[in-house]
Each structure stands twice: as C-alpha cells, then as structure tokens.
Amino acid sequence: MIRVDLRSDTVTHPTPEMRRAMAKAEVGDDVYGDDPTTNRLQARAAEMLGKEAGLFVTSGTQGNLVSLLAHCTRGDAFLVGDRAHIYQSEAGGTSVLGGIVMKTVPNNADGTLNPADIRSAGAKGDYHKPRVKVLAIENTQNLCGGVALSPKQVAAHVEVAREMGLKVHLDGARLFNAAIYHRVDARKLTAGVDSLTFCLSKGLSCPIGSVICGSKEFIDEANRWRKILGGGMRQVGIIAAAGLVALDSMIDRLAEDHENARKLAAGLAEIEGLELDPKSVQTNIVRFSVPSGKGVQIARGLYDEGVYINPGEMSLRVVTHYGIDREDIDYTLEAARRVVAAVMGKSVSSPKAGRNGRAAAGQNGASARTAAARR
Ligand SMILES: Cc1ncc(COP(=O)(O)O)c(C=O)c1O
C-alpha cells in the first residue's frame, strides 16, 4: 500500500476545487479554437509569463518537442545540457521525428551551461556541419537536483545565445518552483527566451497538460506541429479548467513542498550510508547517493514500508509535492533509518508500523520493479 509516494510530483491528484471546475467547465472544439476555457488558460499563462500567446499541449515532452520542431528544420541542431530532460529522457523525439541534431553542452552542478562551451558548440561551420538554431535551457534543472536558475543566470544564457544568433527555448517543467525559490515574478525567468513550456501536471497538481508560450507567430507554427503530432484535442476545456485553478491557487503553496524537501534532506543527510548536502536542496527535488549497488535494495525496502521512490544503482531521488505533509516526511525518515540500517547490515530497531499504527503493507521485489517501470 502506498503511504508516501515520493517518486515524482507527477503523481499528484487534482484538488477538489479542480474537480469542481472541471465538472462545470465551458467547452468547445479546441481544434477550431472554440474552447473558451482553453483559450482563457492559454491567454492567462502567456500573460503571466510575459509572452504574446500560449498553447495547451498534452505533456512537457510534447511541449518541448513541438517547440523545437517549430524552431528548427531537418538537419538543424540545438544546444542542450548533457543533463537536460530533453536530452536524457524524451526518447530523442526531436531527432526521431524532426531530423534535428542534439548537441550537448556539459551542465554545471548549478544547472547552468558555460558561455565558452555554448560558443564552441554553437559556432557556425561550413556545409559539413548541422546548423545550430536554438539553445535549450532547463529551469528548475531536474537531474542537477532541482536547482533553480536565477533571473541573472537565465539572462546570461540569453545573452550568449543572442550574440550567436540562436533562439532560446526554456524547458520550464517546474518553472514556478524556480520562481518561488528565487521569490521573483516568473516573468523574470522567462524574459528574453523565445519559447518556453511549463507543466501543469507536476507540482501544480493538474491531472494532464503543459502550456507552451511565445510570440503569436511562434505559437501559430507550434499549433501546426501540435496538429502533426496528433496533439490537437477537442473539448479540452475540461482539462484546461484544472490548469486555471492551478495558476490561481497552486503556485504559492510550492513553498511548502520546498520546505518539506529541505526537512527531508536534513534528515536523510544524518543517516549513515546516505550522502547529500542538504544545503544544495533548493526546490522540491532531493537527490542523494547510496553505497554502490545498494540503491535498488534501499528502494525496495522503502517500498515494503509503503514509501515509494524510483530505484537507482547509486543515486536516488525523492520529490515532494501536494499531498505530502510534514508527517509524511517524518514517517519517511523513520522508514529510511530502518531500511538503510538493514541494508547496511546494522540492527533494525522499531517494527514496521504505519502512521495509524497499522503494519505497512509488505510488497515484494516484483512490485518494486513495477514502480521502476513507471518511472
Ligand atoms: C525537466 C523536465 N522537463 C520535461 C519533462 C516532461 O514532462 P512530461 O512527463 O509531462 O512529458 C519532465 C518530466 O519529468 C521534466 O522533469
């Protein structure tokens, strides 16, 4: 039984207010541009992020794909961090479907890319080379531990890109987490970027969807690509309604997730065998190292205690979100102390008991593998 699901902020469920808004959403055929709720969401998102227009898409992956397809043609290239989600975890979609080359630039631990690396990877070449068109950045940077680029850091990337005649695309799947961390209006983190995508279905708790924002011209082109990819949906206002609730009421509360992540990080750092620097935790993602080869066992042990995390060999990630409270963090830390001690061959003190005094449901390794498959 899942007691605490820390696999991702994508596991969040819609809030009661979202469900009410979805039930009474005014709808139309969005492929005709007739869905009033979706139109409101797109306009609201664009306004909040200082862009001319917005486009609702099915997922963050589709948002990035549509954006890069709209910026590039076959044989073009874009620069992307070597730890970026677009490069690591989107199945090479831009190359598969768009014939677009990904040129990686090393990510620094703080999520940034070095200007010298951007200049060298993006330098114009003769006809032997793919033509580099775009610089893609990510904020917050998931694989770097949810670190949040500041307005100044974003501006520095934009400046180098401009100097080189490149467009800038921002994968802002968790953009509002970055804005909350830096205590800035999100527009400060999108200034100068040509396109961006942010996810409604992560910390903002919506069941489905992301929004792309950019100029009207860019969004027209993105709309064409969304259609090509089969992403034109009809009475999608039912889903967009949840997005409007999220933009109104779910952004400020991300601070709670960040606080819970810091508390979790501080507790995990005290467990012998786990390694992390709690000061490096900025938003809702905590990454930590485990002794080599023990990650799967630790994840499985936690699973047996009702705490779900994605298994990994040497490094594990936990993500806080709506629905996780301080009590869940305490429970997770207690479970982690027991599990890590057991995996490390130390004595285990307290019995496996849940918050309500009930024994946590035991699951076997096969279930842990199922969790991995859902990653
Ligand atoms: C940084 C980042 N970008 C994009 C995505 C893709 O979002 P989706 O799962 O909605 O396709 C994710 C998903 O975790 C992500 O972490």
Side-chain angles (χ1 to χ4, degrees), residues 93-134:
T94 48
S95 309
V96 175
L97 300 172
I100 305 166
V101 178
M102 283 190 249
K103 286 186 86 176
T104 58
V105 175
N107 271 112
N108 296 313
D110 66 358
T112 58
L113 308 170
N114 290 333
D117 293 331
I118 297 172
R119 287 194 185 97
S120 126
K124 284 202 170 50
D126 62 16
Y127 61 86
H128 292 89
K129 309 283 183 201
R131 289 174 303 186
V132 181
K133 290 289 181 62
V134 179

mmCIF file of all heavy atoms in Angstrom, residues 93-134:
data_model
loop_
_atom_site.group_PDB
_atom_site.id
_atom_site.type_symbol
_atom_site.label_atom_id
_atom_site.label_comp_id
_atom_site.label_asym_id
_atom_site.label_seq_id
_atom_site.Cartn_x
_atom_site.Cartn_y
_atom_site.Cartn_z
ATOM 1 N N GLY A 93 13.093 12.406 -29.201
ATOM 2 C CA GLY A 93 11.971 12.754 -30.089
ATOM 3 C C GLY A 93 12.311 13.760 -31.178
ATOM 4 O O GLY A 93 11.862 13.612 -32.323
ATOM 5 N N THR A 94 13.104 14.772 -30.837
ATOM 6 C CA THR A 94 13.397 15.797 -31.848
ATOM 7 C C THR A 94 14.207 15.192 -33.003
ATOM 8 O O THR A 94 14.025 15.576 -34.158
ATOM 9 C CB THR A 94 14.192 16.969 -31.227
ATOM 10 O OG1 THR A 94 15.282 16.431 -30.472
ATOM 11 C CG2 THR A 94 13.313 17.810 -30.327
ATOM 12 N N SER A 95 15.069 14.218 -32.674
ATOM 13 C CA SER A 95 15.853 13.571 -33.732
ATOM 14 C C SER A 95 14.987 12.568 -34.490
ATOM 15 O O SER A 95 15.022 12.512 -35.716
ATOM 16 C CB SER A 95 17.057 12.827 -33.129
ATOM 17 O OG SER A 95 17.773 13.688 -32.285
ATOM 18 N N VAL A 96 14.210 11.802 -33.738
ATOM 19 C CA VAL A 96 13.381 10.759 -34.369
ATOM 20 C C VAL A 96 12.365 11.391 -35.326
ATOM 21 O O VAL A 96 12.210 10.968 -36.462
ATOM 22 C CB VAL A 96 12.626 9.943 -33.289
ATOM 23 C CG1 VAL A 96 11.678 8.931 -33.913
ATOM 24 C CG2 VAL A 96 13.605 9.242 -32.356
ATOM 25 N N LEU A 97 11.667 12.393 -34.841
ATOM 26 C CA LEU A 97 10.546 12.927 -35.619
ATOM 27 C C LEU A 97 10.901 14.164 -36.437
ATOM 28 O O LEU A 97 10.217 14.463 -37.405
ATOM 29 C CB LEU A 97 9.371 13.254 -34.673
ATOM 30 C CG LEU A 97 8.859 12.040 -33.890
ATOM 31 C CD1 LEU A 97 7.843 12.455 -32.845
ATOM 32 C CD2 LEU A 97 8.250 11.013 -34.834
ATOM 33 N N GLY A 98 11.957 14.865 -36.010
ATOM 34 C CA GLY A 98 12.249 16.123 -36.702
ATOM 35 C C GLY A 98 13.550 16.114 -37.481
ATOM 36 O O GLY A 98 13.854 17.086 -38.185
ATOM 37 N N GLY A 99 14.350 15.052 -37.364
ATOM 38 C CA GLY A 99 15.656 15.044 -38.047
ATOM 39 C C GLY A 99 16.550 16.152 -37.508
ATOM 40 O O GLY A 99 17.380 16.709 -38.217
ATOM 41 N N ILE A 100 16.359 16.484 -36.241
ATOM 42 C CA ILE A 100 17.115 17.580 -35.631
ATOM 43 C C ILE A 100 18.227 16.982 -34.769
ATOM 44 O O ILE A 100 18.010 16.010 -34.053
ATOM 45 C CB ILE A 100 16.191 18.468 -34.746
ATOM 46 C CG1 ILE A 100 14.993 18.961 -35.564
ATOM 47 C CG2 ILE A 100 16.964 19.650 -34.173
ATOM 48 C CD1 ILE A 100 13.888 19.550 -34.708
ATOM 49 N N VAL A 101 19.408 17.577 -34.852
ATOM 50 C CA VAL A 101 20.567 17.054 -34.122
ATOM 51 C C VAL A 101 20.629 17.723 -32.748
ATOM 52 O O VAL A 101 20.468 18.937 -32.630
ATOM 53 C CB VAL A 101 21.867 17.377 -34.900
ATOM 54 C CG1 VAL A 101 23.100 16.900 -34.147
ATOM 55 C CG2 VAL A 101 21.803 16.765 -36.297
ATOM 56 N N MET A 102 20.890 16.910 -31.713
ATOM 57 C CA MET A 102 21.093 17.483 -30.368
ATOM 58 C C MET A 102 22.587 17.567 -30.123
ATOM 59 O O MET A 102 23.277 16.547 -30.222
ATOM 60 C CB MET A 102 20.477 16.584 -29.302
ATOM 61 C CG MET A 102 19.003 16.704 -29.226
ATOM 62 S SD MET A 102 18.380 15.846 -27.752
ATOM 63 C CE MET A 102 17.539 14.485 -28.532
ATOM 64 N N LYS A 103 23.069 18.775 -29.839
ATOM 65 C CA LYS A 103 24.489 18.925 -29.489
ATOM 66 C C LYS A 103 24.550 19.246 -28.004
ATOM 67 O O LYS A 103 23.989 20.254 -27.567
ATOM 68 C CB LYS A 103 25.125 20.063 -30.293
ATOM 69 C CG LYS A 103 25.356 19.693 -31.751
ATOM 70 C CD LYS A 103 26.108 20.776 -32.478
ATOM 71 C CE LYS A 103 27.614 20.627 -32.324
ATOM 72 N NZ LYS A 103 28.336 21.642 -33.138
ATOM 73 N N THR A 104 25.222 18.390 -27.249
ATOM 74 C CA THR A 104 25.204 18.622 -25.805
ATOM 75 C C THR A 104 26.351 19.519 -25.355
ATOM 76 O O THR A 104 27.427 19.539 -25.941
ATOM 77 C CB THR A 104 25.273 17.301 -25.013
ATOM 78 O OG1 THR A 104 26.442 16.619 -25.391
ATOM 79 C CG2 THR A 104 24.056 16.456 -25.241
ATOM 80 N N VAL A 105 26.046 20.227 -24.279
ATOM 81 C CA VAL A 105 26.994 21.110 -23.606
ATOM 82 C C VAL A 105 26.960 20.650 -22.137
ATOM 83 O O VAL A 105 25.871 20.392 -21.618
ATOM 84 C CB VAL A 105 26.495 22.579 -23.716
ATOM 85 C CG1 VAL A 105 27.373 23.521 -22.941
ATOM 86 C CG2 VAL A 105 26.391 22.999 -25.177
ATOM 87 N N PRO A 106 28.118 20.506 -21.456
ATOM 88 C CA PRO A 106 28.060 19.992 -20.079
ATOM 89 C C PRO A 106 27.279 20.916 -19.135
ATOM 90 O O PRO A 106 27.501 22.125 -19.147
ATOM 91 C CB PRO A 106 29.532 19.927 -19.642
ATOM 92 C CG PRO A 106 30.349 20.266 -20.837
ATOM 93 C CD PRO A 106 29.473 20.810 -21.916
ATOM 94 N N ASN A 107 26.401 20.315 -18.360
ATOM 95 C CA ASN A 107 25.724 21.090 -17.302
ATOM 96 C C ASN A 107 26.649 21.221 -16.100
ATOM 97 O O ASN A 107 27.259 20.243 -15.677
ATOM 98 C CB ASN A 107 24.472 20.352 -16.805
ATOM 99 C CG ASN A 107 23.234 20.692 -17.580
ATOM 100 O OD1 ASN A 107 22.690 19.855 -18.295
ATOM 101 N ND2 ASN A 107 22.754 21.922 -17.452
ATOM 102 N N ASN A 108 26.722 22.404 -15.544
ATOM 103 C CA ASN A 108 27.389 22.575 -14.255
ATOM 104 C C ASN A 108 26.458 22.074 -13.154
ATOM 105 O O ASN A 108 25.250 21.917 -13.379
ATOM 106 C CB ASN A 108 27.712 24.054 -14.025
ATOM 107 C CG ASN A 108 28.695 24.572 -15.062
ATOM 108 O OD1 ASN A 108 29.708 23.925 -15.323
ATOM 109 N ND2 ASN A 108 28.392 25.716 -15.660
ATOM 110 N N ALA A 109 27.020 21.880 -11.944
ATOM 111 C CA ALA A 109 26.193 21.372 -10.835
ATOM 112 C C ALA A 109 25.028 22.309 -10.523
ATOM 113 O O ALA A 109 23.983 21.870 -10.030
ATOM 114 C CB ALA A 109 27.068 21.187 -9.596
ATOM 115 N N ASP A 110 25.185 23.602 -10.813
ATOM 116 C CA ASP A 110 24.090 24.541 -10.529
ATOM 117 C C ASP A 110 23.099 24.641 -11.695
ATOM 118 O O ASP A 110 22.256 25.536 -11.726
ATOM 119 C CB ASP A 110 24.646 25.928 -10.163
ATOM 120 C CG ASP A 110 25.366 26.591 -11.330
ATOM 121 O OD1 ASP A 110 25.475 25.964 -12.421
ATOM 122 O OD2 ASP A 110 25.825 27.747 -11.175
ATOM 123 N N GLY A 111 23.213 23.729 -12.643
ATOM 124 C CA GLY A 111 22.255 23.680 -13.752
ATOM 125 C C GLY A 111 22.626 24.556 -14.940
ATOM 126 O O GLY A 111 22.002 24.460 -15.997
ATOM 127 N N THR A 112 23.628 25.411 -14.768
ATOM 128 C CA THR A 112 23.981 26.348 -15.841
ATOM 129 C C THR A 112 24.856 25.666 -16.902
ATOM 130 O O THR A 112 25.365 24.560 -16.699
ATOM 131 C CB THR A 112 24.768 27.560 -15.281
ATOM 132 O OG1 THR A 112 25.943 27.066 -14.617
ATOM 133 C CG2 THR A 112 23.923 28.370 -14.306
ATOM 134 N N LEU A 113 25.039 26.387 -17.999
ATOM 135 C CA LEU A 113 25.942 25.962 -19.076
ATOM 136 C C LEU A 113 26.994 27.060 -19.207
ATOM 137 O O LEU A 113 26.668 28.248 -19.086
ATOM 138 C CB LEU A 113 25.171 25.835 -20.399
ATOM 139 C CG LEU A 113 23.894 24.970 -20.352
ATOM 140 C CD1 LEU A 113 23.103 25.118 -21.654
ATOM 141 C CD2 LEU A 113 24.248 23.509 -20.103
ATOM 142 N N ASN A 114 28.234 26.681 -19.454
ATOM 143 C CA ASN A 114 29.284 27.700 -19.573
ATOM 144 C C ASN A 114 29.207 28.424 -20.913
ATOM 145 O O ASN A 114 29.106 27.767 -21.957
ATOM 146 C CB ASN A 114 30.675 27.054 -19.482
ATOM 147 C CG ASN A 114 30.952 26.554 -18.082
ATOM 148 O OD1 ASN A 114 30.403 27.082 -17.119
ATOM 149 N ND2 ASN A 114 31.774 25.534 -17.985
ATOM 150 N N PRO A 115 29.322 29.752 -20.881
ATOM 151 C CA PRO A 115 29.287 30.506 -22.140
ATOM 152 C C PRO A 115 30.330 30.001 -23.141
ATOM 153 O O PRO A 115 30.041 29.874 -24.338
ATOM 154 C CB PRO A 115 29.608 31.945 -21.707
ATOM 155 C CG PRO A 115 29.234 32.000 -20.264
ATOM 156 C CD PRO A 115 29.397 30.630 -19.711
ATOM 157 N N ALA A 116 31.520 29.647 -22.660
ATOM 158 C CA ALA A 116 32.572 29.205 -23.592
ATOM 159 C C ALA A 116 32.146 27.916 -24.297
ATOM 160 O O ALA A 116 32.400 27.740 -25.499
ATOM 161 C CB ALA A 116 33.877 28.980 -22.831
ATOM 162 N N ASP A 117 31.473 27.030 -23.564
ATOM 163 C CA ASP A 117 31.012 25.772 -24.174
ATOM 164 C C ASP A 117 29.901 26.039 -25.190
ATOM 165 O O ASP A 117 29.831 25.390 -26.234
ATOM 166 C CB ASP A 117 30.498 24.812 -23.089
ATOM 167 C CG ASP A 117 31.617 24.341 -22.168
ATOM 168 O OD1 ASP A 117 32.773 24.269 -22.630
ATOM 169 O OD2 ASP A 117 31.325 24.060 -20.990
ATOM 170 N N ILE A 118 29.029 26.990 -24.849
ATOM 171 C CA ILE A 118 27.933 27.323 -25.781
ATOM 172 C C ILE A 118 28.538 27.896 -27.057
ATOM 173 O O ILE A 118 28.180 27.505 -28.173
ATOM 174 C CB ILE A 118 26.953 28.347 -25.142
ATOM 175 C CG1 ILE A 118 26.288 27.734 -23.904
ATOM 176 C CG2 ILE A 118 25.916 28.811 -26.145
ATOM 177 C CD1 ILE A 118 25.446 28.697 -23.090
ATOM 178 N N ARG A 119 29.507 28.803 -26.879
ATOM 179 C CA ARG A 119 30.132 29.431 -28.054
ATOM 180 C C ARG A 119 30.801 28.377 -28.923
ATOM 181 O O ARG A 119 30.686 28.392 -30.144
ATOM 182 C CB ARG A 119 31.169 30.464 -27.620
ATOM 183 C CG ARG A 119 30.514 31.708 -27.068
ATOM 184 C CD ARG A 119 31.502 32.877 -26.952
ATOM 185 N NE ARG A 119 30.828 33.970 -26.307
ATOM 186 C CZ ARG A 119 30.916 34.258 -24.994
ATOM 187 N NH1 ARG A 119 31.710 33.558 -24.207
ATOM 188 N NH2 ARG A 119 30.239 35.258 -24.489
ATOM 189 N N SER A 120 31.511 27.449 -28.275
ATOM 190 C CA SER A 120 32.237 26.490 -29.097
ATOM 191 C C SER A 120 31.274 25.492 -29.766
ATOM 192 O O SER A 120 31.412 25.194 -30.947
ATOM 193 C CB SER A 120 33.328 25.843 -28.222
ATOM 194 O OG SER A 120 33.248 24.484 -28.224
ATOM 195 N N ALA A 121 30.255 25.027 -29.027
ATOM 196 C CA ALA A 121 29.326 24.047 -29.639
ATOM 197 C C ALA A 121 28.423 24.700 -30.684
ATOM 198 O O ALA A 121 27.965 24.031 -31.614
ATOM 199 C CB ALA A 121 28.477 23.406 -28.557
ATOM 200 N N GLY A 122 28.173 26.010 -30.521
ATOM 201 C CA GLY A 122 27.215 26.665 -31.419
ATOM 202 C C GLY A 122 27.869 27.421 -32.561
ATOM 203 O O GLY A 122 27.179 28.043 -33.372
ATOM 204 N N ALA A 123 29.201 27.360 -32.637
ATOM 205 C CA ALA A 123 29.903 28.149 -33.669
ATOM 206 C C ALA A 123 29.470 27.727 -35.072
ATOM 207 O O ALA A 123 29.214 26.547 -35.321
ATOM 208 C CB ALA A 123 31.410 27.954 -33.495
ATOM 209 N N LYS A 124 29.371 28.724 -35.930
ATOM 210 C CA LYS A 124 28.962 28.431 -37.320
ATOM 211 C C LYS A 124 30.055 27.628 -38.012
ATOM 212 O O LYS A 124 31.235 27.891 -37.829
ATOM 213 C CB LYS A 124 28.753 29.735 -38.082
ATOM 214 C CG LYS A 124 27.474 30.421 -37.734
ATOM 215 C CD LYS A 124 27.023 31.374 -38.837
ATOM 216 C CE LYS A 124 25.616 31.885 -38.584
ATOM 217 N NZ LYS A 124 25.395 32.404 -37.243
ATOM 218 N N GLY A 125 29.639 26.647 -38.812
ATOM 219 C CA GLY A 125 30.622 25.890 -39.569
ATOM 220 C C GLY A 125 30.247 25.942 -41.044
ATOM 221 O O GLY A 125 29.305 26.640 -41.418
ATOM 222 N N ASP A 126 30.961 25.209 -41.864
ATOM 223 C CA ASP A 126 30.600 25.184 -43.283
ATOM 224 C C ASP A 126 29.506 24.149 -43.497
ATOM 225 O O ASP A 126 28.887 23.669 -42.551
ATOM 226 C CB ASP A 126 31.841 24.916 -44.143
ATOM 227 C CG ASP A 126 32.463 23.560 -43.823
ATOM 228 O OD1 ASP A 126 31.769 22.729 -43.189
ATOM 229 O OD2 ASP A 126 33.629 23.341 -44.180
ATOM 230 N N TYR A 127 29.294 23.748 -44.746
ATOM 231 C CA TYR A 127 28.148 22.881 -45.041
ATOM 232 C C TYR A 127 28.291 21.460 -44.496
ATOM 233 O O TYR A 127 27.372 20.657 -44.583
ATOM 234 C CB TYR A 127 27.892 22.846 -46.554
ATOM 235 C CG TYR A 127 29.049 22.305 -47.374
ATOM 236 C CD1 TYR A 127 29.175 20.933 -47.588
ATOM 237 C CD2 TYR A 127 29.994 23.161 -47.922
ATOM 238 C CE1 TYR A 127 30.240 20.437 -48.319
ATOM 239 C CE2 TYR A 127 31.050 22.669 -48.648
ATOM 240 C CZ TYR A 127 31.175 21.297 -48.861
ATOM 241 O OH TYR A 127 32.220 20.802 -49.577
ATOM 242 N N HIS A 128 29.456 21.154 -43.913
ATOM 243 C CA HIS A 128 29.596 19.833 -43.294
ATOM 244 C C HIS A 128 28.797 19.743 -41.977
ATOM 245 O O HIS A 128 28.504 18.651 -41.504
ATOM 246 C CB HIS A 128 31.069 19.551 -42.940
ATOM 247 C CG HIS A 128 31.949 19.387 -44.132
ATOM 248 N ND1 HIS A 128 32.590 20.439 -44.729
ATOM 249 C CD2 HIS A 128 32.283 18.278 -44.823
ATOM 250 C CE1 HIS A 128 33.301 19.989 -45.749
ATOM 251 N NE2 HIS A 128 33.125 18.681 -45.827
ATOM 252 N N LYS A 129 28.547 20.883 -41.392
ATOM 253 C CA LYS A 129 28.007 20.904 -40.024
ATOM 254 C C LYS A 129 26.493 21.107 -40.009
ATOM 255 O O LYS A 129 25.959 21.825 -40.861
ATOM 256 C CB LYS A 129 28.623 22.083 -39.234
ATOM 257 C CG LYS A 129 30.126 22.143 -39.299
ATOM 258 C CD LYS A 129 30.741 21.114 -38.394
ATOM 259 C CE LYS A 129 32.252 21.253 -38.431
ATOM 260 N NZ LYS A 129 32.927 20.034 -38.003
ATOM 261 N N PRO A 130 25.832 20.524 -38.998
ATOM 262 C CA PRO A 130 24.417 20.899 -38.827
ATOM 263 C C PRO A 130 24.350 22.369 -38.411
ATOM 264 O O PRO A 130 25.267 22.867 -37.760
ATOM 265 C CB PRO A 130 23.934 19.979 -37.700
ATOM 266 C CG PRO A 130 25.152 19.496 -37.008
ATOM 267 C CD PRO A 130 26.294 19.572 -37.974
ATOM 268 N N ARG A 131 23.275 23.040 -38.810
ATOM 269 C CA ARG A 131 23.154 24.464 -38.449
ATOM 270 C C ARG A 131 22.499 24.591 -37.084
ATOM 271 O O ARG A 131 21.358 24.158 -36.906
ATOM 272 C CB ARG A 131 22.298 25.194 -39.491
ATOM 273 C CG ARG A 131 23.001 25.352 -40.830
ATOM 274 C CD ARG A 131 22.076 25.946 -41.840
ATOM 275 N NE ARG A 131 20.870 25.127 -41.971
ATOM 276 C CZ ARG A 131 19.924 25.334 -42.872
ATOM 277 N NH1 ARG A 131 20.018 26.338 -43.708
ATOM 278 N NH2 ARG A 131 18.865 24.549 -42.925
ATOM 279 N N VAL A 132 23.235 25.190 -36.156
ATOM 280 C CA VAL A 132 22.698 25.313 -34.796
ATOM 281 C C VAL A 132 21.728 26.497 -34.759
ATOM 282 O O VAL A 132 22.077 27.609 -35.149
ATOM 283 C CB VAL A 132 23.827 25.501 -33.760
ATOM 284 C CG1 VAL A 132 23.236 25.597 -32.356
ATOM 285 C CG2 VAL A 132 24.826 24.343 -33.834
ATOM 286 N N LYS A 133 20.493 26.229 -34.292
ATOM 287 C CA LYS A 133 19.452 27.259 -34.308
ATOM 288 C C LYS A 133 19.013 27.715 -32.919
ATOM 289 O O LYS A 133 18.499 28.810 -32.764
ATOM 290 C CB LYS A 133 18.210 26.718 -35.043
ATOM 291 C CG LYS A 133 18.380 26.531 -36.539
ATOM 292 C CD LYS A 133 18.452 27.866 -37.235
ATOM 293 C CE LYS A 133 18.604 27.784 -38.733
ATOM 294 N NZ LYS A 133 17.493 27.125 -39.404
ATOM 295 N N VAL A 134 19.124 26.810 -31.952
ATOM 296 C CA VAL A 134 18.480 27.081 -30.659
ATOM 297 C C VAL A 134 19.384 26.655 -29.508
ATOM 298 O O VAL A 134 20.124 25.673 -29.619
ATOM 299 C CB VAL A 134 17.147 26.261 -30.539
ATOM 300 C CG1 VAL A 134 16.466 26.501 -29.202
ATOM 301 C CG2 VAL A 134 16.201 26.582 -31.678
#
